[in-house]
Amino acid sequence: MVALLLVLLLALILFGAGFALKALWWIAVIVLVVWLLGFLVRPAGGGGRWYRW
């Protein structure tokens, strides 16, 4: 009985980790797209500075 509970708990943990990793991959892709769009939609002015501070 304890072994069955441990196997079920392990399966639940692995499923949760797999789902979390898949969600993190999607977040990473979205951040990459926003970062690349930041290069394309940069303001015309700025005088060659990297940041607009």
Side-chain angles (χ1 to χ4, degrees):
M1 183 68 179
V2 174
L4 179 64
L5 287 176
L6 287 176
V7 169
L8 288 175
L9 182 64
L10 182 64
L12 183 64
I13 289 172
L14 289 177
F15 173 75
F19 178 76
L21 287 176
K22 187 167 184 159
L24 286 175
W25 270 111
W26 278 111
I27 292 170
V29 168
I30 291 170
V31 167
L32 179 65
V33 168
V34 170
W35 182 63
L36 290 175
L37 283 176
F39 280 113
L40 297 175
V41 191
R42 128 180 350 188
R49 295 185 318 183
W50 285 94
Y51 299 103
R52 293 180 51 196
W53 290 350

